[in-house]
Amino acid sequence: MDARDEHLTLEALGLADAPRDHPLRYPGVRPSGSGLLDGDRLLPLDRLAHPGRTPVVAVGSNASPAQLRHKMAESGVSSPVPMVRARVTGIDVGVSAHISRHGYVSASPVGSPGTARQLFVIWLDPEQLATMDATEPNFDRVLLPAPQVRVEQENGEALLGCFAYVNHHGVLHDGSGAPRRHRDQRALIAELLAESVALRELFGGTPEEFCRRARSDAGLRDRGTRLFAQEKRVTVSGLEHLRVR
């Protein structure tokens, strides 16, 4: 590596810890601005739009450079990934109604007219897109509807044809029937455990124990996912009708 780029490494930028390794830090640290993820470096981005690539709105850990780096490296994909900060109106960040193999409860978009969030758009080439689809077995990649959902990159340019990954198990509600909003992972898991005796019996009484048991036992994760539905804690995201890729 060129010594001039040492300050652009994920380690130097404080972006090196992936949620897959630190589940209670999900969704991971996001960059302060747009950049080009190139292996272990986040380089300056010379342009925002990238013809020939597919723009995907990242609502969870796909906006973590460390998580993205792991996903691509595991599949032998080494091409850079443009990451563009954007303002997204019309969706909010809900809670997926399944337990991830990495031990956390992930995020999923929910329809929310008028809500605006600062998110990232990742621009994926065909190989990267296939890799990403393969890493999201609990999600469907859907085309976000314009103008109900508006995606504006940091220069104010509106994007059309953006996709997002929507959990096909549905999302968890907040007790009133409305989608629960994703929050700090430790607080979220503590809240879910406090609300369900059966969930505590499966995963223990603390977020740390929840993550440890979830990471080590696929069958337990499946039982926990089914329990969400059995306890009627699941609702629709409002995006189920969208066209799947």
Side-chain angles (χ1 to χ4, degrees):
M1 179 188 301
D2 191 318
R4 291 173 297 180
D5 288 344
E6 289 181 355
H7 68 292
L8 298 175
T9 66
L10 299 189
E11 184 71 35
L13 294 169
L15 300 170
D17 290 341
R20 56 180 287 144
D21 300 319
H22 305 278
L24 288 178
R25 300 180 193 174
Y26 178 93
V29 182
R30 301 181 179 196
S32 59
S34 301
L36 181 69
L37 179 63
D38 186 6
D40 190 42
R41 302 174 300 166
L42 190 67
L43 305 175
L45 195 62
D46 61 355
R47 56 194 171 91
L48 300 184
H50 299 271
R53 289 174 173 258
T54 299
V56 179
V57 175
V59 302
S61 64
N62 288 335
S64 160
Q67 192 93 325
L68 267 181
R69 177 186 59 180
H70 275 291
K71 287 188 175 189
M72 296 301 162
E74 283 183 340
S75 296
V77 178
S78 59
S79 51
V81 180
M83 303 181 66
V84 179
R85 190 168 57 179
R87 183 176 189 269
V88 183
T89 305
I91 61 174
D92 204 350
V93 182
V95 180
S96 298
H98 90 286
I99 299 171
S100 164
R101 65 188 178 95
H102 297 303
Y104 47 70
V105 183
S106 59
S108 184
V110 295
S112 183
T115 296
R117 297 293 300 267
Q118 290 292 329
L119 300 172
F120 273 84
V121 174
I122 53 176
W123 289 80
L124 304 177
D125 67 26
E127 185 180 28
Q128 292 166 346
L129 189 63
T131 294
M132 189 64 69
D133 286 346
T135 69
E136 301 289 3
N138 293 286
F139 293 79
D140 298 315
R141 177 163 52 85
V142 304
L143 182 65
L144 294 174
Q148 293 94 328
V149 178
R150 182 176 175 84
V151 181
E152 296 173 292
Q153 298 192 118
E154 59 184 0
N155 64 350
E157 177 186 356
L159 286 178
L160 299 177
C162 283
F163 288 80
Y165 288 98
V166 175
N167 196 285
H168 56 233
H169 298 282
V171 294
L172 300 181
H173 63 70
D174 61 5
S176 71
R180 187 186 299 254
R181 196 174 194 184
H182 206 283
R183 54 185 298 197
D184 170 81
Q185 186 71 191
R186 187 184 299 275
L188 171 62
I189 293 176
E191 189 175 76
L192 295 176
L193 289 171
E195 293 171 356
S196 172
V197 172
L199 196 66
R200 294 197 297 276
E201 290 175 348
L202 290 178
F203 293 96
T206 67
E208 291 79 6
E209 184 67 9
F210 178 100
C211 293
R212 188 189 67 79
R213 294 188 189 185
R215 287 169 69 89
S216 63
D217 191 330
L220 193 63
R221 293 194 298 271
D222 290 342
R223 290 172 64 188
T225 297
R226 291 195 298 271
L227 181 64
F228 287 148
Q230 292 163 1
E231 292 190 334
K232 302 188 184 306
R233 305 176 81 177
V234 181
T235 189
V236 296
S237 70
L239 303 173
E240 290 80 5
H241 65 288
L242 300 181
R243 179 169 64 85
V244 178
R245 59 171 174 84

